[in-house]
Amino acid sequence: MDPRPRAGRLVPAALDLWVAALTVLLLWPLLTEAGHPLARDLVFTPHQPFRLAWLGLGDSPARAVPLDALVAAADLVVGGALLARVALVGILVLAGCAAHRLLRDAHPASRAAAAGFALWNPFVVERLALGQWALLAAYAACFVVVAAAVRLRRVSEQGRGARTRAAAGLLVGAALASITPTGAVVAGGLAAVLAWTRGTRRLAVAVAVIVQLPWLVPALLGASGSVGDPNAVEAFAARAERPGGALWSLLGLGGIWDSGSVPPSRGGVLGHVGTVLVVGVVAFGWPRLRRLLPEAAPRLAVAAAVGLGLAVVAAVPGGSAGVRLLVESVPGAGLLRDGQKWLLPAVVLAVLSFGAVTDRALRAARTRSPGLLATVGTAALLLPLAVLPDATRVVWPTVRPVDYPVDFARVADVVDGSDGSMASLPWAPYRLYPWGAASAVYDPASRWFDVDVVMSDRLSVGPLTLGGESVRSATVGAALARAGQPGGTPAAAADLRRLGMRWLLVQADAATRPALPAGYVERFRGTHLELYESADPVAPQPDPGMLRIATVVGTDALVAALVLVAMVLVTRDRFIRRRGLPAGMLPRTQRGS
C-alpha cells in the first residue's frame, strides 16, 4: 500500500492529465483517424522486416541504429499502426511527466507550467513536424537521465547496493535515449557530467560508454564508418527563422534547418517574444532552480552551453569550415551536420527553468492575494500555447495517417522472402504520393518489403544535392542512369544483374517515369506500383562476414542484457519502496509524489 497521503498522490495524477491533454491536442489526427503515419521522416508500415542493415551491418553510416531493429522487433508484436501511436504518445507523455516530477518540491502550478512547456516548445514542435520521433525520444529520456543522475549522486556515500540500483536507473534512461547515435552521445554525455563524483565516476563513465556500443562498434568495423559530404554542413546548419541570425533563433529553441517544419508565427513578433521568454526564464529562474535541483542545475547549464555551441558553430563562417573539415575527413563526424539537434540539453534546462521562475513568481504572489496567485498560475500554464499558437498547423499534416494502397501488399506477396535485391524507382530517397500526404516522404519500400531494398541516398536540400554515403547505392544509381542513355540499356541490365538487382519497383504515379533496362519483365502492374524481375539470374552479393556479424550481434546482445538487468533492478527497487519503506531510508528525489 502506498504510504503517501491521498492529496500527495492526486497532485501528480492531475499534472499527468494536463500532459495527456496537450499530447492529445498535438497528435489529434493520429489518435482519431485510422492508418499509418507516412509523411516526411515519419514512416511506419504494417510490419517492418528485420535485416542486418538495421544493426549497422550495411554499407551506409549507422544513423538509425538500433532504432530500425527495435521497430522491426516491436512490429512482430503490435504492428506498425499501433506502434506509431504508442511511440509518439509515450514520448510526449514521458517528457511532460518526467519534467514535472523533477520539480517535485515546487508549487503544483509551476510543475504544470514546466510539463506543458516540455511538450509545447519550438524544438519539440519543429522536430515532430519533420517526423523525427526518435530524436524526441532522446529528448524525453534526458529528463529521466537528469533524475537518475541526481539520485546516483545523492546515494554516492551509501553502500554499493544503493549505488548499483541508482546506476541501473541511469542506464535505463540513457538506453532509452540511445535508440539513435545522436541520442546516445547526448544522453551519455549528460550521464557522465551530471553523475560524476568521487564515488560514482566509474559507474557514470560505464553507463556513458555502454550506450554508445550499438552504433559505435559497427561504425568502427565496416563501411558504415565512411566519411560524409561536407556540403551537408551548409544544408543542415541551423538557420535564422526571423531577423536576428541563427543564434537568436536557437536561443528561442528553434532554428531547425527545414523551413517547412517551422510554424509561421516563429517568423514574426511571437518568435522574438519566444526567444526573450526563454532567455528570461533561464536568467530569472536560475536562483530558484539552484535550490530545487542543487546537484543538477550547474552541470546541466554547462551541458546546455556546450550543446548551444555545437548547434551554432556550423552557422558561422569560421565554425562552418571546421565542421566541413571534420565531416569530410573523420568517419562518424556526419553526426555534427544537423546543428539544431544539439540543443537537447538546452531545451531541458529551459523547461526546468520555466517551472522554477513560475514557482518564484507564485511564491511572491501568494503573499499578496489568492486572486493574484490564480492569475499568475493560469498565465504560466497558457503562456507556451500563446507564444506558439500555430504548433498544430505544422504537426498535424505530418502525423495524420494514410491508407497504403493494396498495391504494396500485392508486391509483397511476390517478393517477400526472395533472394536478390530490389531497386526502388524513381531514383530518389523521398517520394510524393498522390494518395498520401502533401509533403514528400522517405521511401517506405525498405521498411515494407522483406527483401533487400536499395534506394538512392542522395538528398536534395534546397538547391543542394548531397553526395550519398553508400557505395552500392551509388553504383546501382549509375547503372540505372545508363538505362536512359542511347544504347546503354543492355550494359545497364548486365551491371544491375551483377549488382544483384533481381527486382525493379517503379512508382507508377510519379511525376516522371524512369527508363527501364532491357531484360526485365513485368511481374505486377497496379495503379500505383509496378514490379519488374530480371529474366536472367543475378549474381549473389557478399555478406558482411561472420566475424563482423558475430561481433556486432554479440555486442548488441550484451548491451540488451545489461539494460534488461537494469530494468529489473529499477522495477524491484520501486516496488520495495512503494510497499512502505520508511522515507528516511530513501534518497530525497524518491520521496513524495
Side-chain angles (χ1 to χ4, degrees):
M1 180 176 180
D2 194 336
R4 294 174 297 173
R6 181 180 177 87
R9 298 195 301 269
L10 290 177
V11 168
L15 297 175
D16 292 346
L17 285 176
W18 171 239
V19 171
L22 290 179
T23 298
V24 170
L25 181 55
L26 267 179
L27 302 179
W28 181 257
L30 182 63
L31 301 178
T32 58
E33 302 175 22
H36 296 76
L38 185 69
R40 320 202 71 190
D41 288 343
L42 187 62
V43 179
F44 283 87
T45 58
H47 294 285
Q48 180 169 313
F50 178 82
R51 54 178 60 103
L52 290 176
W54 299 156
L55 299 177
L57 288 167
D59 70 333
S60 298
R63 300 197 190 282
V65 172
L67 172 64
D68 282 326
L70 295 174
V71 170
D75 271 355
L76 293 174
V77 181
V78 298
L82 180 57
L83 177 62
R85 289 157 176 82
V86 170
L88 269 66
V89 169
I91 288 166
L92 296 182
V93 168
L94 176 62
C97 293
H100 79 68
R101 280 171 169 76
L102 268 170
L103 301 174
R104 64 182 69 245
D105 294 330
H107 190 281
S110 61
R111 294 173 64 183
F117 192 43
L119 271 65
W120 212 278
N121 65 68
F123 184 89
V124 171
V125 168
E126 292 176 2
R127 289 294 169 173
L128 194 54
L130 190 55
Q132 295 185 344
W133 63 276
L135 186 65
L136 292 180
Y139 160 72
C142 282
F143 291 101
V144 180
V145 169
V146 173
V150 169
R151 182 169 182 244
L152 180 57
R153 292 186 63 194
R154 286 177 176 174
V155 302
S156 61
E157 301 303 323
Q158 298 182 19
R160 179 178 298 178
R163 291 196 299 270
T164 300
R165 290 191 296 272
L170 186 64
L171 178 58
V172 171
L176 177 59
S178 302
I179 59 176
T180 65
T182 297
V185 172
V186 173
L190 272 181
V193 171
L194 269 63
W196 184 283
T197 64
R198 178 186 297 180
T200 63
R201 58 176 179 263
R202 291 183 180 177
L203 288 171
V205 171
V207 168
V209 171
I210 287 170
V211 296
Q212 312 304 319
L213 297 179
W215 73 270
L216 188 59
V217 170
L220 293 175
L221 288 180
S224 60
S226 59
V227 297
D229 184 347
N231 291 324
V233 175
E234 177 186 349
F236 294 110
R239 58 180 292 276
E241 297 172 345
R242 56 191 172 276
L247 178 60
W248 185 242
S249 294
L250 289 167
L251 288 172
L253 309 184
I256 194 170
W257 59 269
D258 178 59
S259 59
S261 301
V262 180
S265 64
R266 294 285 296 168
V269 174
L270 285 178
H272 293 291
V273 171
T275 296
V276 172
L277 172 67
V278 172
V279 174
V281 300
V282 171
F284 290 101
W286 180 250
R288 183 60 183 152
L289 187 61
R290 285 287 304 268
R291 293 184 179 91
L292 291 170
L293 293 171
E295 298 91 347
R299 300 186 183 203
L300 181 58
V302 172
V306 172
L308 179 62
L310 290 174
V312 76
V313 65
V316 297
S320 176
V323 177
R324 286 174 61 92
L325 180 61
L326 286 173
V327 168
E328 66 182 342
S329 57
V330 178
L335 279 177
L336 298 173
R337 67 184 191 178
D338 184 350
Q340 194 244 12
K341 67 184 178 183
W342 300 108
L343 280 183
L344 280 173
V347 182
V348 174
L349 177 65
V351 167
L352 298 177
S353 297
F354 186 61
V357 78
T358 302
D359 190 59
R360 185 178 179 184
L362 290 171
R363 284 172 166 265
R366 186 165 47 191
T367 62
R368 296 174 180 257
S369 70
L372 181 60
L373 181 67
T375 301
V376 172
T378 303
L381 206 63
L382 299 179
L383 186 58
L385 283 74
V387 175
L388 197 59
D390 51 352
T392 57
R393 180 172 175 177
V394 293
V395 171
W396 283 6
T398 299
V399 301
R400 175 167 283 113
V402 302
D403 292 321
Y404 281 99
V406 70
D407 289 7
F408 281 82
R410 298 283 177 80
V411 170
D413 289 340
V414 177
V415 304
D416 280 1
S418 64
D419 55 6
S421 300
M422 170 192 287
S424 184
L425 303 170
W427 194 245
Y430 283 81
R431 301 273 187 265
L432 266 174
Y433 293 114
W435 47 266
S439 56
V441 60
Y442 187 76
D443 189 347
S446 67
R447 298 176 184 176
W448 182 293
F449 305 115
D450 189 13
V451 66
D452 177 44
V453 179
V454 181
M455 308 183 307
S456 171
D457 64 347
R458 299 196 64 190
L459 300 174
S460 294
V461 183
L464 293 175
T465 298
L466 307 178
E469 296 169 308
S470 166
V471 174
R472 190 182 186 205
S473 175
T475 309
V476 172
L480 290 169
R482 284 195 292 275
Q485 299 172 356
T489 299
D495 288 343
L496 290 172
R497 287 194 296 272
R498 178 177 53 81
L499 294 167
M501 295 299 111
R502 176 179 175 180
W503 307 101
L504 299 181
L505 179 71
V506 179
Q507 180 187 337
D509 47 18
T512 58
R513 183 175 180 82
L516 298 179
Y520 281 81
V521 296
E522 182 181 299
R523 287 291 181 253
F524 171 79
R525 176 182 291 271
T527 305
H528 305 285
L529 296 178
E530 298 172 5
L531 179 68
Y532 299 86
E533 182 181 9
S534 173
D536 299 316
V538 298
Q541 297 302 298
D543 59 39
M546 287 305 301
L547 178 60
R548 185 179 168 204
I549 293 174
T551 303
V552 171
V553 172
T555 299
D556 291 343
L558 174 62
V559 172
L562 291 173
V563 173
L564 287 175
V565 170
M567 291 175 66
V568 171
L569 289 175
V570 170
T571 302
R572 177 178 176 275
D573 191 35
R574 290 183 64 86
F575 175 77
I576 292 174
R577 287 183 286 112
R578 286 193 175 273
R579 294 290 292 177
L581 193 66
M585 298 177 64
L586 299 176
R588 181 166 166 255
T589 53
Q590 303 303 312
R591 301 176 196 167
S593 58

